Amino acid sequence: MGIAELVGVVLFGAVVVLAYFAWRRVRLLRAGGVHVALRSRIEDSGRGWHLGVGHYRGDEFTWFRVLSLRTGPDMVISREGFEIDDRREPTAPEAYAMPTGAVVLRCRGSKGEVEIAMGPDALTGFLSWLESAPPGRSIPWAS
């Protein structure tokens, strides 16, 4: 196999992977997802923000990373015990990786700390979901 064929195979593979990422993102958004950027503070690895799509599934908020080959969610946040510790505007270096007009929420849950960034519409839905705990449970956040 010559160099031209090898380059062609590599380029074809890259196009297939990019097409998969695009198809996955569209599929997740059409299924009722919202644009969300997330930074896990559990491992504090310094890898930064990751764009993704979030879904509400009863008492769970599932988050799918846009550039991931996984078929399932990359993170599952349970409403029970989940608290918002702080709300802030993104810094200039962070803004590139977030939805337009995003607000950053520093949160704490059973799996540790996480920061979530979402636009105004997604934020309204997220706060409504968080407040809609079944009767008898306290509201898991205060601001």
Side-chain angles (χ1 to χ4, degrees):
M1 182 173 358
I3 297 290
E5 289 88 8
L6 182 62
V7 169
V9 168
V10 169
L11 286 176
F12 178 75
V15 167
V16 168
V17 169
L18 289 174
Y20 171 75
F21 288 149
W23 171 81
R24 183 175 186 265
R25 179 175 172 264
V26 168
R27 183 180 56 87
L28 288 170
L29 287 172
R30 285 192 177 164
V34 294
H35 286 284
V36 177
L38 188 134
R39 176 167 62 178
S40 174
R41 298 173 60 109
I42 297 169
E43 60 211 29
D44 198 26
S45 63
R47 289 189 291 180
W49 290 95
H50 300 287
L51 291 174
V53 176
H55 285 263
Y56 301 101
R57 295 183 180 167
D59 282 342
E60 294 179 338
F61 180 77
T62 57
W63 181 77
F64 299 83
R65 188 172 170 181
V66 170
L67 298 177
S68 175
L69 296 175
R70 292 184 67 167
T71 56
D74 291 276
M75 181 171 279
V76 177
I77 296 171
S78 175
R79 179 169 37 199
E80 188 169 335
F82 190 75
E83 297 178 6
I84 297 175
D85 290 336
D86 190 25
R87 182 187 304 201
R88 66 178 175 84
E89 296 296 318
T91 62
E94 293 175 323
Y96 77 94
M98 297 180 184
T100 306
V103 173
V104 178
L105 304 174
R106 190 179 74 227
C107 307
R108 187 170 20 102
S110 61
K111 295 182 180 180
E113 288 187 0
V114 67
E115 285 186 321
I116 302 171
M118 53 186 74
D121 294 339
L123 178 62
T124 300
F126 185 77
L127 295 177
S128 296
W129 169 78
L130 202 54
E131 287 178 343
S132 65
R137 282 185 28 199
S138 61
I139 296 175
W141 66 280
S143 51

